[in-house]
Amino acid sequence: GTKKKAACPGLGLFYTILSAFLFSVASLFLKKIEDVHSVEVSAFRCVFQMAFVLPGLIYYKTGFLGPKGKRIFLFFRGFLGSSAMILLYYAVQVMPLADATVITFSSPVFTSLLAWIFLKEKYSIWDLLFTLFAVTGVILIARPPFLFGSNVTGIEGSYTDHLKGTIAAITSTVSGASAFVIIRKVGKSVHYFLSIWYYAVIGLIGCVIALFVMNEWRLPYCGKDRVLLILIGLLGLGGQIFLTKALQIEKAGPVAIMKTMDVVFAFILQILFLNHFPTWWTVGGALCVVASSSGTAIRKWRQSLKKAKQNEI
């Protein structure tokens, strides 16, 4: 369908910037939590998601399971989407905030690659070039010892944790891209509230099982951690709401480009509140990933405009 025009110029882009800021602050609070496992944080986030979506499901009378032929897709969308969230939270906890944010920002590139493989969408030489840029950026941030030597600077804690965080961030990116491809496959045949509902329910179930297996389930002892948990849930929910509103009143291309503010906010918050200055390797990797994701967004935007003009003719 056609996009509803914004009430005032640039409102959708403002919503996108606000969404990026809220997500970045939520990640900063996650770094500040001292005694709560990332999986437990994810469980609290899922509870907030469910509390938000439940009234919508009742209002729109969508049911809780969705159409029979689409339930398997909704299940995998929920599983992959929630896995991406859990892995991202783990990566944020064990590696620099900006590094984790930059790696997960390469998601549009992996989405194009997976859409080419599973949805038979066109994949050009430009898409390949953007993919190589994204991979180069990830390598500059991960800095594997066989390329950069054993003395790796600018990381938090041990290099083992940095490597685990990098693997988690990459896996999170691929999982998120896979979930997006499934959403694209399902299309508008399923209400987006149902998609978020599956994401929250399956994520909560998975988190609870994982926490009992790891014996990590416990309420935080510190009052500060409890407040941060609530704020993370509220900020994550707010970020998702504003991003959804932005996509409702603005074209996807400009929104995707403006989401580069995620990276900018991550660098600023990391320097101001975590006193961790990024290395030139991280800055170089960030430039590669941002150029790659922005190039992908611009290309998809131009293609959609061209297709729209052809349909008008």
Side-chain angles (χ1 to χ4, degrees):
T2 57
K3 298 282 184 182
K4 188 170 67 175
K5 289 187 177 180
C8 63
L11 182 61
L13 299 182
F14 172 75
Y15 283 155
T16 307
I17 295 174
L18 186 56
S19 169
F21 178 73
L22 293 178
F23 280 134
S24 299
V25 175
S27 297
L28 173 66
F29 287 163
L30 179 59
K31 296 286 290 183
K32 291 290 187 180
I33 287 182
E34 298 174 355
D35 196 33
V36 182
H37 197 279
S38 58
V39 179
E40 188 172 349
V41 179
S42 303
F44 275 91
R45 169 77 184 273
C46 289
V47 170
F48 275 92
Q49 295 276 94
M50 291 173 63
F52 168 73
V53 173
L54 185 59
L57 294 179
I58 297 172
Y59 177 80
Y60 289 107
K61 300 178 181 179
T62 61
F64 296 97
L65 297 177
K68 286 186 177 180
K70 305 295 182 181
R71 291 174 186 174
I72 186 66
F73 293 110
L74 286 170
F75 171 81
F76 280 108
R77 179 270 183 270
F79 175 76
L80 291 167
S82 58
S83 298
M85 174 186 62
I86 295 168
L87 290 166
L88 172 60
Y89 280 6
Y90 174 78
V92 169
Q93 282 192 330
V94 300
M95 68 187 303
L97 174 61
D99 290 16
T101 303
V102 169
I103 292 175
T104 55
F105 199 74
S106 60
S107 179
V109 179
F110 289 103
T111 301
S112 298
L113 181 61
L114 293 173
W116 170 60
I117 296 173
F118 295 105
L119 301 181
K120 307 303 179 184
E121 293 187 3
K122 186 178 179 182
Y123 191 80
S124 68
I125 190 67
W126 282 105
D127 294 305
L128 177 60
L129 181 63
F130 294 144
T131 302
L132 293 176
F133 259 92
V135 171
T136 301
V138 172
I139 291 174
L140 290 176
I141 291 171
R143 281 163 282 167
F146 67 88
L147 289 177
F148 293 85
S150 57
N151 295 323
V152 180
T153 59
I155 63 175
E156 291 180 0
S158 66
Y159 182 76
T160 301
D161 286 340
H162 182 78
L163 187 59
K164 287 179 181 178
T166 300
I167 295 172
I170 295 172
T171 309
S172 169
T173 302
V174 176
S175 296
S178 302
F180 196 84
V181 169
I182 292 174
I183 294 173
R184 191 179 294 178
K185 173 71 175 179
V186 172
K188 297 181 180 179
S189 60
V190 175
H191 198 282
Y192 71 92
F193 268 163
L194 264 175
S195 178
I196 301 175
W197 174 254
Y198 268 80
Y199 171 100
V201 171
I202 294 175
L204 180 60
I205 294 172
C207 287
V208 171
I209 293 173
L211 286 168
F212 276 106
V213 170
M214 297 184 299
N215 196 26
E216 289 283 352
W217 178 261
R218 63 183 182 277
L219 286 174
Y221 299 109
C222 177
K224 183 189 76 171
D225 283 350
R226 295 182 184 183
V227 173
L228 290 177
L229 273 176
I230 296 173
L231 289 176
I232 289 171
L234 291 175
L235 289 168
L237 180 58
Q240 197 156 40
I241 291 172
F242 281 114
L243 182 59
T244 302
K245 288 183 69 66
L247 289 169
Q248 286 176 340
I249 62 177
E250 185 60 79
K251 294 184 183 297
V255 171
I257 296 169
M258 192 58 67
K259 267 188 67 62
T260 54
M261 291 301 296
D262 285 33
V263 177
V264 176
F265 286 135
F267 275 104
I268 294 174
L269 294 176
Q270 176 176 295
I271 294 171
L272 292 180
F273 296 99
L274 301 177
N275 198 27
H276 187 98
F277 288 82
T279 64
W280 287 110
W281 293 115
T282 298
V283 174
L287 291 175
C288 287
V289 171
V290 169
S292 173
S293 57
S294 299
T296 301
I298 292 171
R299 187 172 177 278
K300 296 295 182 184
W301 181 25
R302 293 185 63 182
Q303 285 178 342
S304 65
L305 292 176
K306 184 178 180 181
K307 188 175 181 180
K309 287 181 179 179
Q310 290 175 346
N311 291 336
E312 288 178 1
I313 296 174

